[in-house]
Amino acid sequence: MGILDKIYDEIYLGEKPDTEEYRELRESYYAVWDKAEEILGEEFFDKVWNTVVELNTAANRNHFKEGFRLGVQLMLEARALPGESEAVR
């Protein structure tokens, strides 16, 4: 496990937005999943849900890592004096 994975998994706590829009979307999201569970049955629903959670976790971890790298690159480029080479990714 890389250092950014470790930071994401053990330290980083992504705060969910606390807006009316987000709360409404979240309620709608879970209502759809509740209906899906009724249709799919508990066993298959659990497989689908776990796959979705794994996919979202992998995507969120990737977004975190890319954001971290972008932040570091921006800091390195901000330190460069005019005429110096830029930071390389």
Side-chain angles (χ1 to χ4, degrees):
M1 175 185 295
I3 185 69
L4 292 181
D5 292 315
K6 189 169 180 63
I7 290 170
Y8 180 82
D9 291 338
E10 297 178 11
I11 298 171
Y12 178 71
L13 301 174
E15 294 288 324
K16 302 294 185 212
D18 188 26
T19 64
E20 183 65 29
E21 178 185 21
Y22 181 80
R23 286 189 296 272
E24 288 175 5
L25 287 170
R26 185 183 60 218
E27 288 175 21
S28 175
Y29 176 81
Y30 284 115
V32 169
W33 279 108
D34 289 343
K35 184 68 175 170
E37 184 174 18
E38 292 174 20
I39 295 169
L40 298 174
E42 186 177 346
E43 184 178 341
F44 187 66
F45 172 82
D46 286 344
K47 289 179 183 179
V48 172
W49 178 259
N50 290 335
T51 301
V52 169
V53 168
E54 288 178 32
L55 180 63
N56 285 336
T57 300
N60 290 338
R61 181 181 290 115
N62 185 64
H63 293 150
F64 172 80
K65 291 162 69 172
E66 287 300 311
F68 188 92
R69 289 182 182 121
L70 176 61
V72 169
Q73 185 175 2
L74 289 170
M75 288 187 290
L76 289 172
E77 288 181 11
R79 283 193 70 228
L81 296 174
E84 289 186 354
S85 62
E86 296 179 1
V88 178
R89 182 173 182 187

